[in-house]
Amino acid sequence: MEKDEKIIVKDAHGNTLENGDSVVVIKDLKVKGSSIVLKQGTKIKNIRLTDDEDLIECNTDGIKGLVLRVEFLKKG
């Protein structure tokens, strides 16, 4: 991929996501390496896009540097 190419990241409903957006979890997700479960409806603020169009980085209560798949998120 060239530096000029911009990755377009879309949520589960096809909405385009940008750095700093807020998203909502649409399914209960178990966090690997932890006993924490992100419940459906959890709002996550200030996401960061990655080089992979299927993944975003974010922070939630108690978890820093969490990486989530966009197929389980909707723009909120």
Side-chain angles (χ1 to χ4, degrees), residues 36-54:
I36 296 174
V37 175
L38 289 178
K39 296 289 187 183
Q40 179 179 351
T42 301
K43 188 168 188 173
I44 299 170
K45 299 177 184 177
N46 200 20
I47 66 168
R48 293 175 304 282
L49 303 182
T50 63
D51 291 337
D52 187 339
E53 64 187 24
D54 295 329

Side-chain angles (χ1 to χ4, degrees), residues 1-9 16-19 49:
M1 178 172 43
E2 295 179 19
K3 298 238 184 221
D4 296 339
E5 276 187 54
K6 182 172 171 131
I7 296 175
I8 298 173
V9 179
T16 304
L17 298 174
E18 300 290 334
N19 281 319
L49 303 182

